Amino acid sequence: MTDDHIPVTVLSGSLGAGKTTVLNHVLTADHGLDVAVVVNDMGEVNVDAEHVAQQSDLAGDEEIIEMSNGCICCRLRGDMLDEVGRLADRREFDYLLVESSGISEPIPVAQTFAMGFEDASFDPTGTYELDTMVTVVNAHSFWESFDSGSALTNQQLEDESGRVPEEVLLDQIEFCDVLLCNKCDLVPDDALEEIEAVLERLQPRAKIIRTEFGAVAPGEILGTERFDFQRAQNSAGWKHELQHDHHHDPQEEHGVTSFVYQRDRPFHPERIAALLSDLPDELIRAKGFFWSAGREDVAMGVDKAGTSVRAGPSGKWLATLPERERKQYFAARPGLKDDWSDEWGDRMTRLVFIGREFEEDALIERLDDCLLTDDEMDDDWNAYPDPFEPQERRELALTNQ
């Protein structure tokens, strides 16, 4: 951390995980830092900010910035930069602590501090330096979901957001430097070990710390110098699996396993849609892309977070690009040619599955049953009904109940 930059720690986590409790614990601890605070709440009245002001010993309202009725990852990004710019002009503090709302996506928040935001007049990169991204996880909610197959979080999002709470929570877990596994007093020790094993598989780079009532040593989340944007962006467990093609022993400790499913034959669209709506409850994460017969124009993406499953077009196959553009890709990443087919180009399926105590062989068999048979390979694929149509509903949202 450069001496003339103000370090920043961002707290993420779903509603009820204990972010504000962690924040108050750190603010009242004896760490020798003058800390300014930004608290983001989606409500019109920022209850979290009022709680922080009541419980902490901060000198005045000027050191607590309330960002209400919006989210700092989207609507309020510019407003947040204006406020932290105003704080920086006075320079009456030496650390900035940001509590984001439960629905804030971490990458845009990190980008705001690391790269600035074009709609804001203040450029943070000359004044602030992102030090640590922290995600607070409700261990009790995880335990309950493991037992009942329910959602990982009960938080509600606005309908217009286009996302579900579990997707946001998984984003927060997969993009962080420190994971605080909070409310551990409500969970048996053996269950905590399983939860930690799941968290480690989802985010292998993060430091996992057990906490009760949000009590964490300030040095674990302040001044750690752990943040690195590129490493954080590429450290999600599913990305690690795709990049390294690891295949783990199903008998691994705590029953947490993952595997990569790869095939070079397309799925029948109706059969794969039916499977995606009926995935095992034990699967916590699935991510990747697949080839759906009749959709040779686009790669179809899959994103399963807890009980929520989304599938739909996620990008173009290289085979659909002009030859000049393909050559540029091959020059930058020569390994792409290894899986290139003379007939189908790069069209294929690569999916990562992460879960606990699920039947890997049974799932692979079900996936294989969704592939086109030899006879179907000779069909007119364009005649197949497409569950991802009509055009305005190209992304199919499925939720296991």
Side-chain angles (χ1 to χ4, degrees):
M1 187 69 60
T2 52
D3 292 341
D4 59 343
H5 281 70
I6 301 170
V8 181
T9 288
V10 177
L11 286 173
S12 297
S14 58
L15 183 67
K19 298 188 301 295
T20 301
T21 308
V22 171
L23 177 60
N24 279 313
H25 178 82
V26 171
L27 291 176
T28 56
D30 184 16
H31 45 63
L33 295 171
D34 292 326
V35 180
V37 180
V38 173
V39 181
N40 178 212
D41 186 26
M42 283 299 294
E44 293 184 6
V45 177
N46 197 331
V47 178
D48 281 353
E50 293 178 359
H51 188 204
V52 170
Q54 291 169 2
Q55 300 297 322
S56 71
D57 57 359
L58 293 178
D61 292 340
E62 296 82 3
E63 292 174 298
I64 302 177
I65 302 299
E66 304 177 22
M67 308 295 296
S68 301
N69 203 21
C71 188
I72 59 174
C73 72
C74 47
R75 185 187 305 172
L76 299 181
R77 287 176 76 178
D79 293 341
M80 179 182 67
L81 281 183
D82 290 342
E83 293 292 347
V84 298
R86 183 177 60 80
L87 280 174
D89 286 341
R90 296 201 312 271
R91 197 72 183 225
E92 296 175 354
F93 64 101
D94 45 31
Y95 208 101
L96 179 64
L97 191 53
V98 178
E99 179 191 341
S100 62
S101 75
I103 64 171
S104 287
E105 299 176 36
I107 292 180
V109 177
Q111 287 175 327
T112 302
F113 282 101
M115 306 173 188
F117 185 54
E118 61 181 8
D119 290 339
S121 57
F122 174 70
D123 179 4
T125 59
T127 306
Y128 293 95
E129 189 164 346
L130 192 52
D131 180 88
T132 316
M133 295 291 293
V134 180
T135 295
V136 185
V137 172
N138 186 336
H140 186 254
S141 291
F142 263 69
W143 181 42
E144 287 186 326
S145 72
F146 287 174
D147 272 356
S148 64
S150 60
L152 296 173
T153 173
N154 293 321
Q155 183 171 335
Q156 300 296 314
L157 301 188
E158 297 178 354
D159 292 339
E160 60 268 22
S161 69
R163 307 203 71 197
V164 295
E166 288 177 291
E167 287 181 290
V168 178
L169 174 58
L170 266 291
D171 283 350
Q172 294 168 346
I173 291 172
E174 291 173 342
F175 187 89
C176 72
D177 306 300
V178 177
L179 273 166
L180 300 184
C181 193
N182 195 34
K183 302 190 178 182
C184 289
D185 53 308
L186 304 178
V187 182
D189 287 342
D190 58 343
L192 280 175
E193 291 176 359
E194 184 179 2
I195 291 169
E196 287 182 338
V198 169
L199 293 175
E200 186 175 355
R201 186 57 58 85
L202 292 173
Q203 172 49 290
R205 189 180 74 91
K207 182 175 182 179
I208 301 175
I209 302 171
R210 294 185 186 184
T211 58
E212 298 178 8
F213 306 102
V216 60
E220 297 285 9
I221 65 173
L222 303 180
T224 71
E225 300 186 11
R226 293 178 64 94
F227 181 76
D228 180 287
F229 195 95
Q230 197 63 38
R231 289 184 64 203
Q233 197 168 27
N234 292 316
S235 63
W238 67 268
K239 289 185 179 180
H240 186 79
E241 295 292 326
L242 280 182
Q243 292 166 358
H244 297 86
D245 202 21
H246 284 183
H247 188 99
H248 297 272
D249 184 348
Q251 301 304 318
E252 280 190 321
E253 190 176 5
H254 307 302
V256 181
T257 59
S258 59
F259 73 95
V260 176
Y261 177 86
Q262 180 169 321
R263 297 291 187 270
D264 57 6
R265 177 174 290 211
F267 285 128
H268 188 288
E270 291 182 306
R271 293 202 293 268
I272 189 59
L275 184 148
L276 291 176
S277 65
D278 187 34
L279 287 170
D281 290 339
E282 294 80 10
L283 278 178
I284 298 166
R285 193 71 166 124
K287 193 82 173 180
F289 59 90
F290 67 93
W291 176 12
S292 180
R295 296 308 311 272
E296 283 61 58
D297 57 331
V298 293
M300 310 296 282
V302 171
D303 189 337
K304 173 177 170 60
T307 60
S308 170
V309 183
R310 289 182 182 269
S314 64
K316 292 184 177 181
W317 299 111
L318 293 184
T320 66
L321 300 178
E323 184 176 359
R324 185 181 67 176
E325 292 185 33
R326 288 204 304 270
K327 288 182 178 180
Q328 291 175 344
Y329 275 99
F330 289 147
R333 298 176 60 189
L336 292 173
K337 289 186 177 180
D338 295 342
D339 296 318
W340 190 265
S341 163
D342 290 339
E343 183 176 7
W344 299 110
D346 58 327
R347 297 181 181 92
M348 62 183 303
T349 292
R350 293 198 77 194
L351 299 171
V352 178
F353 296 93
I354 301 174
R356 44 182 291 279
E357 299 180 350
F358 67 94
E359 296 293 333
E360 178 180 323
D361 291 340
L363 179 57
I364 290 174
E365 184 176 347
R366 290 181 62 197
L367 287 163
D368 284 345
D369 287 343
C370 294
L371 298 172
L372 293 190
T373 65
D374 289 342
D375 288 341
E376 289 172 332
M377 288 293 291
D378 295 327
D379 285 349
D380 177 8
W381 300 347
N382 291 322
Y384 289 156
D386 187 351
F388 305 99
E389 292 288 359
Q391 184 70 25
E392 63 270 16
R393 291 185 60 255
R394 294 290 286 277
E395 185 177 76
L396 178 66
L398 308 160
T399 302
N400 293 339
Q401 299 296 335

